[in-house]
Amino acid sequence: MNLHIVLPRPTCWSDLVAIEPELAELEARARSMSQLGGSGKCHHYEMLKSQASHLVGWNATDPLLTTSTAYEVVIDRLLKALEAPSEGQLTAGPADAVAQEADNPKRHSTSHGENQC
């Protein structure tokens, strides 16, 4: 008898980071780059995206991370971190409600349709 076990593919940030901890370092870099501001954000985004493409998506070495969903989750997370305002610029407003909704553990899907942990 030949059994074939299929492992569930990770679809949320925390599961992806558990498999590839370097993703958390990329997010931290994106947040620090958000402090720089200016026209360099496009360059920073392209650099982060290139680095992420070696960790998730088609070029990932771990088979669990080779999905387009994993790539989308990571790129979305890095883009949001790159666009995050610096602590001195934080203001309350409609975006805060969206952020709170996105962080809500009861929410089951995001704009890309992946599950939240």
Side-chain angles (χ1 to χ4, degrees):
M1 178 181 352
N2 201 2
L3 293 176
H4 181 69
I5 299 173
V6 178
L7 297 174
R9 302 260 180 147
T11 58
C12 68
W13 178 254
S14 60
D15 287 347
L16 294 168
V17 171
I19 295 169
E20 180 52 74
E22 194 173 334
L23 293 171
E25 295 171 24
L26 273 180
E27 182 186 30
R29 269 186 253 148
R31 288 195 189 286
S32 68
M33 289 175 182
S34 74
Q35 308 282 322
L36 302 174
S39 61
K41 282 194 178 185
C42 192
H43 170 73
H44 296 311
Y45 171 71
E46 290 300 324
M47 183 181 66
L48 290 165
K49 191 166 79 167
S50 174
Q51 292 170 355
S53 72
H54 297 287
L55 304 173
V56 293
W58 293 348
N59 298 319
T61 56
D62 188 314
L64 291 175
L65 302 178
T66 59
T67 65
S68 59
T69 299
Y71 180 81
E72 290 174 3
V73 169
V74 169
I75 296 303
D76 186 56
R77 182 76 173 226
L78 294 177
L79 182 58
K80 287 177 181 174
L82 187 59
E83 293 176 339
S86 64
E87 289 185 31
Q89 297 173 332
L90 291 177
T91 58
D96 293 326
V98 172
Q100 288 173 355
E101 180 182 337
D103 291 335
N104 183 349
K106 293 181 182 177
R107 188 171 171 210
H108 296 290
S109 67
T110 66
S111 61
H112 297 294
E114 72 274 4
N115 293 331
Q116 292 287 335
C117 294

